[in-house]
Structure formats: structure tokens, C-alpha cells
Amino acid sequence: MTRESTNNPLLWGEKRYHTWNYHLRQTFGEKVFKVPLDGGFTCPNRDGTVAVGGCTFCSARGSGDFAGNRRDDLVKQFREVRDRMHQKWPQAKYIGYFQAFSNTYAPVTTLRPMYETILEQEGVVGLSIATRPDCLPDDVVELLAELHQRTYLWVELGLQTIHDETSRLINRGHDYACFLEGVEKLRRHGIRTCAHIIYGLPGEDEEMMMETARACAAMDIQGIKIHLLHLLKNTPMVKQYEAGLLRFLDKETYVRLVVDTLEILPPDMVIHRVTGDGPPDLLIGPRWSLKKWEVLNAIDDELKKRNTWQGKKYSPEYRAAL
């Protein structure tokens, strides 16, 4: 993509950032949507291997609140979620999305048949596998590398923040160095890697959040998910909130942070998400996040207001300095 002058925005379709939807349409020539699944996994941060209790923000469903029912087998989950989403997109192909908990946290003999089961479903064009950077032993990475050679694959790694003090506060169970090591393992095989970050974590100011953004701009990652922190009922973070350690971001601040971030990310990085919404019956705050389309429209409006776009302020020096 090129632009004739700094006054002409870089566009991806009608958007001023490189959206996931645009990327998939360019890749496959048609609509493709994710089918979120719960493979019945757990997490080393819950079962005592690393810690217990999990990340303080994580729901009882391991951030898979919109995935299939884990009591059902994968094929039933896939078909039910697919059919529900077909009401919105009747003509589409699918990416099987292993979403809940840590989806590489099992032996290869368990993982392989699960991944293959979804790849065998009609209309599936690839997989997206969400996991932690400390759940990438060599044999699992080799399996992922094999999948990468024969299907469209993304591995999504939770980073959340580059600040180890925050990671300790939210009981993340790994540090920033571990995340970088995980990325390096995947990229050694050319595997597309997407980092998850969260804005609004307890104890972080705007500069700390932007330090995480600048670090992501410098990494060898191909995608990013920018999340707003959601406080959900029955999570350990409720106690932190009650103790005054957490203050919700307002919508204007969040929109500004997202646009500030988009400006410094490389134009070729795929933006998988810029906001999200928690289950309404579980969400304590911020409640404005439930109006997802208002947030997305506000981000578009801020980009236009500034006459800015993804990558306008990106500098290759970020990567040179890493």
C-alpha cells in the first residue's frame, strides 16, 4: 500500500487500519469468520504448575465466554457456533478458533487429533490457537510448524503488558522475557503470531500502556489484539477493585490510546481487535464497553479527526532497537 502524500490516508478498504476482516478477504477472496471453541483445556496458572487462581482478570471460562459449550464434543460445538454465526453471514468460510484457556497445554498426542478434527470440517480454511508463551514446548512447536506448512494458521499469545510489576500484580505467571522467547520459537518456523495486550490494567498509567504498544511495534509479530480491561464478577480482580487498585478507563481515554497505538504500529500488522465486550450478566465495568459499535465508530471518528492512520508514525527504528 502506498499514499501520494502525507495528507492522503493509508486505507484498508474503508478503514484507516489493517483490519482482520480486510486481511481475511484479501487472503481468501470472501468472508471468513472465526468459530470459537472450548477444547476442555486448563492453564498452568490455574492447576498449580505455575500458580493457582489464574490471572486476576480471567473468567471462570478461561476468557472463552463466547466459545462453544465445553461439555459438548468439538464437532457439536463447531456446528452449533457456526450455524449461529451463519445467521449474520450466510455465505462464509471458517477458521476454527481454539479460544478458551491455554490451547497448547497438553501432550501432542492429545492436541493433534483435536486440531485435525476441526480442520476436517467442511468449509474450514485454517486454525487460530490461543495460548500462553510458557506452553510452547519443542514438540508442540514442531506440531504447530507442521500445521503451518499445510493450512492457514495463527497462534495467539497473551502478553497483556511488558511491565513485570503489573504481571505480578495480575498473577500472570510469566514475565516479558518468557513472552519474547515464545515469539522467537514460533517465528523460527514462520508461524503467524498475534499478541494480546490489555489497556486499563491496575497500576498502569497511559505512558506504561504506550510502552507496551511501542514494544509490540518493534516485535516480529504479525498481528495484535488490543483489549479493554473488563472487570467480571467472580474474578480475583474484584478484590483488587474493591481495594482501590483499579480504576476503569473512560471511553474517550481508551479511544485515544487505541488511535495513539495504531499510529505507531507497522502498516502490515493485522489488527485482530481494537475493543471487545464482556458477557453483560457478568460485567461489572466499564459498562460503556457493551456498546461495541459506538466504540468502533468513535475510533474511526478519531482517526478521521486527526487525519491519521495505522503506521503514520511508525518508525523502523523500533525494530532496529529491539
Side-chain angles (χ1 to χ4, degrees):
M1 295 212 174
T2 60
R3 59 185 182 276
E4 294 180 359
S5 77
T6 56
N7 293 321
N8 295 327
L10 193 57
L11 297 177
W12 292 263
E14 297 179 352
K15 293 285 190 176
R16 292 176 177 237
Y17 58 97
H18 194 166
T19 68
W20 173 240
N21 183 60
Y22 179 89
H23 167 74
L24 291 176
R25 285 190 177 275
Q26 291 295 112
T27 302
F28 295 103
E30 60 186 316
K31 176 66 181 178
V32 178
F33 63 76
K34 281 182 170 180
V35 178
L37 304 165
D38 187 330
F41 296 97
T42 183
C43 173
N45 204 24
R46 287 177 179 257
D47 68 6
T49 301
V50 171
V52 294
C55 301
T56 60
F57 60 81
C58 195
S59 71
R61 293 200 61 190
S63 297
D65 298 281
F66 299 106
N69 189 332
R70 74 189 282 136
R71 292 190 294 269
D72 296 332
D73 64 52
L74 284 173
V75 173
K76 184 177 180 181
Q77 284 188 48
F78 176 83
R79 291 174 177 172
E80 289 185 352
V81 176
R82 175 201 63 190
D83 292 349
R84 186 164 64 244
M85 297 179 75
H86 260 312
Q87 296 175 22
K88 184 174 183 180
W89 299 295
Q91 301 295 324
K93 295 291 175 61
Y94 327 111
I95 290 173
Y97 180 25
F98 286 85
Q99 181 182 34
F101 296 96
S102 300
N103 293 275
T104 59
Y105 188 45
V108 167
T109 52
T110 300
L111 297 173
R112 182 185 293 276
M114 297 177 76
Y115 300 156
E116 297 291 355
T117 293
I118 297 305
L119 285 173
E120 290 168 0
Q121 302 307 303
E122 184 177 357
V124 170
V125 296
L127 296 175
S128 190
I129 299 171
T131 192
R132 291 166 54 93
D134 56 357
C135 293
L136 293 172
D138 291 345
D139 58 343
V140 170
V141 174
E142 291 296 330
L143 172 60
L144 296 172
E146 176 193 325
L147 291 171
H148 170 66
Q149 292 300 315
R150 57 188 176 89
T151 192
Y152 178 81
L153 176 69
W154 282 86
V155 175
E156 302 185 19
L157 290 184
L159 169 60
Q160 321 315 350
T161 177
I162 67 167
H163 301 287
D164 288 344
E165 62 268 35
T166 307
S167 295
R168 288 189 289 271
L169 183 62
I170 63 175
N171 196 40
R172 182 65 192 159
H174 68 75
D175 59 14
Y176 180 39
C178 176
F179 180 85
L180 293 176
E181 181 182 352
V183 171
E184 195 278 330
K185 285 183 177 181
L186 296 171
R187 294 301 297 148
R188 194 182 306 154
H189 298 279
I191 298 168
R192 299 176 193 86
T193 305
C194 175
H196 289 228
I197 63 174
I198 299 177
Y199 287 162
L201 290 169
E204 292 208 349
D205 58 24
E206 292 184 37
E207 176 55 25
M208 292 175 74
M209 298 176 214
M210 289 306 300
E211 285 172 356
T212 294
R214 288 190 286 271
C216 288
M219 291 178 198
D220 182 18
I221 57 174
Q222 292 63 56
I224 192 169
K225 280 188 175 180
I226 307 170
H227 296 268
L228 168 69
L229 177 70
H230 293 105
L231 180 62
L232 302 180
K233 296 176 183 177
N234 305 317
T235 59
M237 190 169 279
V238 173
K239 292 183 179 179
Q240 294 175 319
Y241 177 64
E242 292 172 344
L245 297 175
L246 171 66
R247 296 180 63 184
F248 297 138
L249 294 177
D250 58 63
K251 184 171 77 172
E252 293 72 21
T253 299
Y254 182 73
V255 167
R256 174 164 41 79
L257 282 166
V258 169
V259 174
D260 288 348
T261 299
L262 293 174
E263 286 184 320
I264 65 170
L265 295 178
D268 59 345
M269 187 177 290
V270 181
I271 312 301
H272 291 234
R273 170 169 287 186
V274 291
T275 188
D277 46 356
D281 59 327
L282 296 178
L283 182 66
I284 295 173
R287 299 295 295 181
W288 56 262
S289 66
L290 292 173
K291 299 179 179 179
K292 183 177 178 180
W293 284 105
E294 288 188 9
V295 181
L296 292 171
N297 290 337
I299 291 168
D300 288 342
D301 290 345
E302 181 67 14
L303 286 162
K304 292 175 184 176
K305 178 182 176 182
R306 296 191 198 179
N307 190 30
T308 195
W309 50 84
Q310 180 182 336
K312 185 177 183 181
K313 297 182 180 179
Y314 169 68
S315 171
E317 294 176 359
Y318 290 145
R319 287 184 175 171
L322 186 65

